[in-house]
Each structure stands twice: as structure tokens, then as C-alpha cells.
């Protein structure tokens, strides 16, 4: 399945079978991605939050948590949200690639624990 934005540009490609919860979470994350790239950060944050709260056990949840924080940061320029999500990802999804991607955002004392 392809998700295209209003200009017809492919933004998300889903291949293979997904369970219903994983499919809906991936679809909602894709719609969040489309909102994000069009700088509709509040809409993106809302969609990513929906994935995290409704589909927290899905494969899309860690990425949605990461991008929800980035959308908040882009909307507000409040960088503290990035450190908070890095710690939340370490607690909630410690083995996810998204927890690893957020390591640079950790406070210095937390980075020592990772190393």
C-alpha cells in the first residue's frame, strides 16, 4: 500500500501482511509523516500521539513516540522535549532503533550509562 500526499508524492510504502492493529498504527503514522513533511506539526503530533496511546504495542509505536517529540520541538522550539523522549524511549522501548537514534538527546549523565 502506498500513502501519497496531496501532490501525489509517495510518502509511505507498506509491504506484506500486518495485523489489524499494526496496520492501523502504520497507516496513522504515515498520515503523521505526511502532516510533518508539510509542516503541519500539531496535526503530526496528534497522529503520532494516537499511535503511541492506542497502539503502544505495535511495531510503529517507538517511531511514533520519536516523531511526536520532533513534531513538538518543530512547533515550539522547546528542545527539552527531545531529552525527555530519549529517556522515555530508553524506558519503554529500550531495544528499538528509535531509542538508539535518540541517544544524542539524552542528558550528559544519562549518556554515561549508555556508553
Amino acid at each position: 500500500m502506498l500513502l501519497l500526499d496531496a501532490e501525489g508524492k509517495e510518502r509511505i510504502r507498506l509491504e506484506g501482511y500486518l495485523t489489524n492493529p499494526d496496520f492501523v498504527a502504520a497507516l496513522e503514522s504515515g498520515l503523521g509523516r505526511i502532516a510533518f513533511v508539510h509542516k503541519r506539526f500539531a496535526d503530526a503530533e496528534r497522529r503520532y500521539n494516537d499511535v503511541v496511546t492506542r497502539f503502544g504495542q505495535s511495531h510503529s509505536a517507538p517511531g511514533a513516540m520519536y516523531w511526536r517529540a520532533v513534531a513538538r520541538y518543530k512547533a515550539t522550539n522547546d528542545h527539552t522535549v527531545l531529552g525527555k523522549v530519549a529517556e522515555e524511549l530508553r524506558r519503554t522501548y529500550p531495544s528499538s532503533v528509535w531509542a538508539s537514534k535518540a541517544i544524542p538527546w539524552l542528558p550528559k549523565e544519562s549518556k554515561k550509562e549508555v556508553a
Side-chain angles (χ1 to χ4, degrees):
M1 184 181 86
L2 301 177
L3 283 178
L4 309 176
D5 65 14
E7 290 81 38
K9 185 169 183 177
E10 179 183 327
R11 295 297 179 177
I12 299 293
R13 178 181 296 250
L14 301 173
E15 298 178 6
Y17 174 79
L18 293 172
T19 64
N20 189 48
D22 273 317
F23 177 78
V24 174
L27 181 62
E28 190 70 22
S29 287
L31 294 173
R33 180 70 184 152
I34 291 170
F36 186 89
V37 299
H38 289 282
K39 301 182 192 284
R40 296 190 323 263
F41 300 121
D43 185 34
E45 183 180 358
R46 180 183 57 77
R47 289 188 179 278
Y48 290 132
N49 188 62
D50 189 44
V51 173
V52 173
T53 58
R54 291 182 51 213
F55 304 102
Q57 299 305 310
S58 73
H59 297 292
S60 298
M65 184 179 285
Y66 178 98
W67 285 108
R68 176 183 64 183
V70 175
R72 167 64 62 92
Y73 167 71
K74 295 292 273 181
T76 65
N77 288 320
D78 177 8
H79 71 281
T80 62
V81 71
L82 301 175
K84 291 175 186 172
V85 78
E87 291 175 338
E88 187 178 5
L89 281 162
R90 276 192 32 195
R91 278 191 316 275
T92 312
Y93 306 105
S95 61
S96 76
V97 68
W98 298 101
S100 296
K101 288 182 179 206
I103 287 172
W105 300 338
L106 287 169
K108 287 182 182 181
E109 59 276 1
S110 296
K111 284 183 187 176
K112 292 176 187 172
E113 297 171 18
V114 175

